[in-house]
Amino acid sequence: MGRNIHFEIFRYNPQDTASIPRMQTYFLEETINMTLFIALTRLREEQDPSLVFDFCCRAGICGSCAMVINGRPGLACQTQIKNMPGHISLHPLPVFKIIGDLSVDTGVWFREMYRKTESWIHTRAEVDPTLEEARMDNAVAEEIYELERCIECGCCIAACGTANLRPDFMGAAALNRIARFMIDPRDERSEREYFDIIGTDFGIFGCMGLLACEDVCPKQLPLQDQLGFLRRKMGFAALRQIFKTSRPA
Amino acid sequence: MQVQSHYSDLLVIGAGLSGERAAAEAAAKGFSVIVLSIVPARRSHSSAAQGGMQASLGNSVMGEGDSPDVHFADTVKGSDWGCDQECARLFANGAPIEMRRLAAWGVPWNRVVAGRSVYFKGGEKFEKEEKKEKEGLITARAFGGTAKWRTCYTSDGTGHAVMCTMDNRCAELGITVLDRKDAVALIHDGMACTGAVVRCMRTGVLEEFRAKATVIATGGLGRLYKATTNAVICDGGGHIIALDTGVAPIGNPEAIQFHPTGIVPTDILVTEGCRGDGGTLLDVDQKRFMHIYEPEKAELASRDVVSRRMTEHMLAGKGVPSPYGEHLWLDIRHLGDRHISTKLREVDEICRHFLGVDPRKQLIPVRPTQHYAMAGIRTNKDGAVYGLKGLFSVGEAACWDMHGFNRLGGNSLAETVVAGGIVGAKIVEFLQGNEVAFSTAHARDALRKTEERVNSVATCANGRENVYAVREEMQQALMDGCFVFRNEADLQQCVARLQKTLDRARRVGLVSDGKGVCHELYSALRIEGQVKLALMIAKGALERKESRGSHNREDYSARDDKDWLNRTLAYWREGADMPELLYEDASPVFELPPGERGYGGGRIIPADPAWVAARTIK
């Protein structure tokens, strides 16, 4: 027989004016290879169908199920109960708007991020796809994919000191997105254009370097390196601009 | 009640690859497009596809001599001649062009690296040398059922990478993509479709979305089965709103694919790329067995064949016992750390996170698991749904039908974008050539019916059946009676069980209050339609008295081209308790006349040669 796991789960329904944020207690017997996906699904189906949380792929690929697990942002589907103490507390991610209980609105946040970063290839080239494709070094393709692995779960934003203080801070996910396009030879944006997007306190210069983003990233993206890379690049860009504007006309 | 009403030229239900690809095509031509999705677009199940997209670019040395003709032939053989050959041809011709288009839009495809490198096949080591003149072009890997290395990929996150690019493209085009929107009914008058009634999953409020054209691109229906590799959102939602109209048919409902390598337990998929890259299947004695059944292709036969051989081998007492039932082993240890850490990284992560297994040193427990529906909303080659003007369908949700009774690995992910582009262009033609009159009466009618359904389940007006218990019964019925191997007695029992389950589904009532974001209500609004869909699968399988592709009848083991070279069309007429099954020819023409697949074995009862000759084209 497995352990009797004690869950404490944050409950709040913003649609219901009578709802007050609170913690609710549940118990569930542990079974072999149980993950938080299995546990929460069972709680909803066997004990409390009003419980709100998000799962989609349940395989650590889609990023739907990020939540604060015993004080740390992470993916619930990848969390194995056997690696956890017998008392598990679950909260929704901070920073994002709450939808209900453990579910937060990452969708709207990230769509706004695509708009802010102009998260697409900027090019004047007219490509005829019936002709042979432009060549690319395989190593470059792999480097781009390395940064494209972000699953937009929101853990890095929830764990970020700056984002928790200032809701308009872009956060590691957005800065990583910019880095992804900067190293892509197909994107023709100039340093100046990138600077206009992230060269502020809401962008790269707002980062306090606490680096919780990298610690909690479930995909182990090299966020520390990317933030360093962008800070150096944008720092030099700023100096060049100061130098240019202070030059006599 | 004040209802929020939205209007667009095109309404796309489902923001996975096929939906967004069609949306991008229409938006680029200046039409207003709204895309709805249950989850944020990038979380769509397209993103879970690890392996790649088949396209005959032929850049890799292992793909030399490849062409759309070879790809077409592989696809038709893979389908066991069940596909519509016109669609298979459109697909094979369009795939290389679409891969290049995606490259221009931003997909970081892996590229040809010139020089010597080693690869594995059937556990043995081989060497190949890529050519200098092809360096930097889009490369490919091997997949099951293909004559050439043809599968374009980005590491083992192809679906994810292409999904990012496609969603970026939609953002660039300014398309309105709304997540947490669940389409629960179509607005139609029995002749034409003019939008959908949608439940907002942020507030629980019903809204109406009206459009000149509507596309269902909601993906698969794997969650009808207990053991599936599919995400929890792949629950047949789009199929249900189509069949609920009473006039739109589900094509080949019995054509369901089982993937050879779902892990045990949790049923998460590990990619076919494992076997494509040289991984092997082992039995309880840790011995290879696929080459005994399939000397030519061994582990790389098509999915239906590998799943069938695995099941046969387990029935022969060679399975590995476990608390979750019998399984076999997947062995990728010999591929080495570097290969596993880069090319099969997602596999490595899945093994570590969900099994606690290190695939460099340990074996992976696998068994056949529901994976894909060739079944879908039947459309013509333009993607237009039979029976309702202005309604289209594309991707896994559709039975466009390039897959017939078995689809090849890498062909469905490629289909999402290739067919998405083709159907998108046909929608543009439709929008350019048609004006639509909107009837407020039909919209109000659809909305009122949905409100009544919501109220009756929330107040338990029809009963107090538990939605999760009913769903469990449906899933178990399909697992027991309509899985890899099928026979008359089990299918009859399955149908009878599902008829009882349908009755229970109609008496579902909520335990919770159903207010706001209520998942129980979401499930309750689907359950009756899910059981109807399950009945279509079981009834279609019961009536099809032959074995073809993934449809394996123990009591009718031959492929019967004389009587069954056709496609099932399953309708659920208004007020009916059982589906009505009609049949149409599998393909209007044959470019490749029915013949041997070259793997899988089995007897073929030939079609009338004069009939075949009359429909064969050059």
Side-chain angles (χ1 to χ4, degrees):
Chain A
M1 220 171 88
R3 295 179 295 170
N4 195 25
I5 306 291
H6 174 193
F7 288 92
E8 261 193 286
I9 299 180
F10 179 86
R11 302 297 311 270
Y12 176 54
N13 180 3
Q15 294 296 312
D16 179 358
T17 47
S19 175
I20 296 161
R22 66 194 188 281
M23 298 303 285
Q24 191 169 338
T25 299
Y26 300 91
F27 289 92
L28 191 67
E29 194 190 311
E30 182 180 4
T31 52
I32 190 168
N33 272 325
M34 187 187 244
T35 62
L36 265 182
F37 163 67
I38 295 169
L40 281 168
T41 304
R42 279 189 54 195
L43 285 178
R44 173 151 73 196
E45 296 185 0
E46 294 166 18
Q47 298 188 24
D48 188 347
S50 73
L51 254 180
V52 178
F53 50 78
D54 296 320
F55 283 99
C56 181
C57 76
R58 57 78 174 92
I61 296 166
C62 80
S64 291
C65 64
M67 56 183 71
V68 179
I69 304 158
N70 280 352
R72 192 180 166 90
L75 296 184
C77 73
Q78 281 188 350
T79 304
Q80 293 187 60
I81 303 293
K82 69 178 173 206
N83 299 332
M84 303 291 288
H87 181 190
I88 299 173
S89 73
L90 301 173
H91 292 82
L93 291 186
V95 184
F96 299 97
K97 189 179 165 192
I98 188 163
I99 286 174
D101 301 342
L102 300 174
S103 170
V104 297
D105 199 339
T106 50
V108 164
W109 194 96
F110 277 94
R111 283 218 95 73
E112 178 60 15
M113 183 274 264
Y114 312 154
R115 198 189 57 75
K116 272 196 266 188
T117 58
E118 300 191 9
S119 168
W120 52 84
I121 298 277
H122 290 56
T123 177
R124 282 174 295 274
E126 288 286 331
V127 174
D128 178 353
T130 62
L131 304 177
E132 187 177 276
E133 64 273 21
R135 291 176 192 239
M136 182 185 273
D137 189 30
N138 190 56
V140 173
E142 284 182 350
E143 249 179 88
I144 295 168
Y145 178 68
E146 188 62 25
L147 304 187
E148 191 115 283
R149 289 190 307 112
C150 170
I151 55 171
E152 304 188 354
C153 60
C155 285
C156 64
I157 307 300
C160 171
T162 312
N164 274 282
L165 293 171
R166 293 216 319 255
D168 46 7
F169 178 59
M170 296 173 90
L175 294 166
N176 176 67
R177 182 62 47 86
I178 289 291
R180 178 248 175 269
F181 284 101
M182 249 184 206
I183 60 167
D184 192 325
R186 293 166 293 195
D187 195 297
E188 293 169 359
R189 275 180 279 187
S190 65
E191 193 176 71
R192 177 66 204 235
E193 285 170 283
Y194 287 126
F195 188 87
D196 286 345
I197 300 169
I198 59 166
T200 68
D201 279 355
F202 306 114
I204 190 64
F205 301 124
C207 170
M208 297 190 287
L210 302 174
L211 300 176
C213 51
E214 177 156 328
D215 291 344
V216 299
C217 177
K219 289 283 148 185
Q220 286 94 40
L221 288 174
L223 296 172
Q224 179 176 350
D225 293 350
Q226 297 315 311
L227 293 169
F229 162 73
L230 290 176
R231 185 187 285 274
R232 268 196 315 280
K233 212 163 158 74
M234 292 298 105
F236 283 122
L239 288 175
R240 269 195 289 277
Q241 279 171 41
I242 291 163
F243 194 61
K244 222 183 277 173
T245 48
S246 63
R247 218 171 10 192
Chain B
M1 190 177 86
Q2 184 87 28
V3 175
Q4 204 177 350
S5 190
H6 308 257
Y7 169 81
S8 58
D9 292 323
L10 175 61
L11 175 67
V12 182
I13 302 168
L17 281 177
S18 61
E20 286 208 331
R21 179 66 187 87
E25 195 67 24
K29 293 287 187 301
F31 292 101
S32 65
V33 183
I34 295 177
V35 183
L36 306 178
S37 175
I38 294 174
V39 294
R42 289 174 203 220
R43 311 215 192 290
S44 301
H45 197 50
S46 301
S47 71
Q50 298 160 14
M53 292 191 178
Q54 280 205 43
S56 58
L57 289 160
N59 292 326
S60 164
V61 69
M62 303 300 288
E64 271 181 8
D66 203 5
S67 69
D69 292 346
V70 184
H71 188 184
F72 168 81
D74 281 346
T75 302
V76 174
K77 287 178 197 165
S79 81
D80 221 353
W81 274 269
C83 73
D84 181 325
Q85 296 197 8
E86 288 187 315
C87 292
R89 173 51 76 178
L90 284 172
F91 165 74
N93 287 357
I97 299 168
E98 191 64 25
M99 298 308 113
R100 297 196 189 104
R101 184 178 284 119
L102 292 173
W105 285 354
V107 173
W109 294 119
N110 276 80
R111 303 296 179 128
V112 174
V113 178
R116 288 175 189 279
S117 56
V118 295
Y119 68 95
F120 289 88
K121 193 180 169 189
E124 277 180 68
K125 212 172 185 177
F126 296 89
E127 199 181 61
K128 66 181 172 75
E129 182 167 5
E130 295 289 351
K131 291 188 173 141
K132 188 74 194 163
E133 67 260 30
K134 296 286 186 186
E135 185 150 61
L137 296 175
I138 299 168
T139 192
R141 59 162 51 133
F143 250 33
T146 68
K148 305 282 177 186
W149 285 27
R150 185 190 295 133
T151 308
C152 308
Y153 64 99
T154 54
S155 183
D156 61 357
T158 312
H160 170 82
V162 179
M163 192 69 239
C164 286
T165 293
M166 197 59 72
D167 197 37
N168 285 340
R169 176 76 182 152
C170 287
E172 179 184 2
L173 289 165
I175 295 171
T176 304
V177 182
L178 304 173
D179 65 81
R180 296 186 191 259
K181 300 282 186 190
D182 179 26
V184 286
L186 292 175
I187 300 170
H188 72 100
D189 61 1
M191 311 282 283
C193 173
T194 50
V197 174
V198 172
R199 180 168 168 261
C200 175
M201 291 165 70
R202 286 185 176 77
T203 60
V205 173
L206 295 177
E207 302 169 46
E208 59 177 34
F209 285 78
R210 297 203 209 174
K212 290 183 185 172
T214 304
V215 188
I216 299 175
T218 47
L221 47 72
R223 289 281 156 178
L224 297 188
Y225 281 82
K226 187 76 189 162
T228 175
T229 63
N230 289 188
V232 299
I233 55 170
C234 303
D235 55 11
H239 304 79
I240 293 167
I241 59 176
L243 74 85
D244 271 348
T245 64
V247 292
I250 301 298
N252 280 343
E254 66 272 33
I256 304 290
Q257 182 175 76
F258 304 93
H259 197 288
T261 55
I263 63 170
V264 182
T266 69
D267 313 311
I268 295 169
L269 173 78
V270 294
T271 176
E272 184 154 323
C274 291
R275 281 170 297 128
D277 291 358
T280 55
L281 291 167
L282 307 181
D283 62 17
V284 67
D285 306 322
Q286 303 208 7
K287 286 203 173 117
R288 281 183 72 206
F289 57 91
M290 273 307 298
H291 63 289
I292 302 169
Y293 297 100
E294 298 292 328
E296 175 77 11
K297 295 247 172 194
E299 278 86 353
L300 283 178
S302 65
R303 287 176 181 176
D304 58 322
V305 172
V306 179
S307 290
R308 181 148 52 84
R309 299 305 195 189
M310 288 169 75
T311 309
E312 268 182 78
H313 203 61
M314 286 192 280
L315 289 173
K318 293 291 186 177
V320 183
S322 88
Y324 300 95
E326 291 201 334
H327 63 78
L328 294 159
W329 300 113
L330 174 64
D331 184 7
I332 59 169
R333 293 173 300 184
H334 52 284
L335 302 184
D337 175 55
R338 197 183 137 71
H339 190 95
I340 292 170
S341 305
T342 55
K343 298 235 165 75
L344 296 170
R345 181 158 53 184
E346 299 286 341
V347 174
D348 191 20
E349 283 182 15
I350 286 166
C351 288
R352 274 191 289 120
H353 288 302
F354 303 100
L355 294 172
V357 159
D358 179 356
R360 290 164 196 77
K361 298 191 184 106
Q362 291 163 286
L363 301 172
I364 308 167
V366 294
R367 70 175 160 213
T369 304
Q370 193 286 342
H371 181 57
Y372 186 80
M374 284 73 72
I377 304 160
R378 178 63 181 145
T379 71
N380 66 14
K381 65 182 173 184
D382 298 341
V385 174
Y386 284 17
L388 279 177
K389 199 177 167 193
L391 182 63
F392 295 80
S393 184
V394 67
E396 189 177 347
C399 180
W400 186 47
D401 218 5
M402 55 168 276
H403 303 302
F405 277 80
N406 175 63
R407 68 115 176 143
L408 299 179
N411 254 1
S412 64
L413 195 63
E415 180 197 16
T416 61
V417 289
V418 177
I422 292 169
V423 173
K426 290 295 173 185
I427 292 168
V428 166
E429 282 177 25
F430 174 83
L431 290 172
Q432 283 164 341
N434 276 284
E435 290 307 325
V436 174
F438 289 103
S439 153
T440 51
H442 293 123
R444 197 183 326 116
D445 194 39
L447 201 64
R448 186 183 48 76
K449 278 190 190 156
T450 309
E451 273 169 17
E452 282 171 9
R453 280 177 63 208
V454 170
N455 289 336
S456 68
V457 292
T459 59
C460 301
N462 300 324
R464 292 185 178 277
E465 282 284 355
N466 182 298
V467 66
Y468 301 119
V470 176
R471 194 183 62 193
E472 174 77 22
E473 175 62 13
M474 168 192 71
Q475 292 172 331
Q476 214 51 60
L478 284 180
M479 294 298 288
D480 294 344
C482 204
F483 207 57
V484 176
F485 282 106
R486 303 160 179 193
N487 64 59
E488 188 86 10
D490 288 351
L491 284 166
Q492 262 168 356
Q493 203 184 347
C494 177
V495 168
R497 224 169 131 184
L498 287 169
Q499 283 178 294
K500 285 197 193 102
T501 314
L502 179 62
D503 185 50
R504 286 178 65 191
R506 287 169 169 163
R507 287 184 281 114
V508 159
L510 299 188
V511 178
S512 64
D513 64 9
K515 291 196 176 119
V517 199
C518 175
H519 188 273
E520 191 190 15
L521 178 58
Y522 168 92
S523 300
L525 289 176
R526 269 173 168 58
I527 189 68
E528 185 181 339
Q530 286 180 318
V531 180
K532 286 177 176 171
L533 200 48
L535 265 166
M536 286 179 163
I537 295 172
K539 183 76 173 144
L542 175 63
E543 295 305 324
R544 183 170 285 276
K545 296 184 188 339
E546 66 154 355
S547 291
R548 186 182 297 276
S550 59
H551 173 68
N552 294 296
R553 287 286 301 253
E554 291 165 321
D555 41 359
Y556 297 96
S557 59
R559 189 181 94 195
D560 184 354
D561 288 350
K562 187 157 99 27
D563 290 326
W564 289 100
L565 190 50
N566 61 15
R567 180 177 299 102
T568 309
L569 297 176
Y571 291 86
W572 201 284
R573 305 293 185 195
E574 203 174 331
D577 287 318
M578 279 294 281
E580 179 186 350
L581 304 186
L582 303 177
Y583 295 89
E584 65 175 8
D585 288 341
S587 190
V589 291
F590 299 123
E591 219 182 298
L592 192 66
E596 295 269 358
R597 295 170 101 185
Y599 48 83
R603 196 165 62 90
I604 298 170
I605 301 167
D608 172 17
W611 181 83
V612 171
R615 334 188 115 219
T616 302
I617 53 166
K618 286 267 161 77

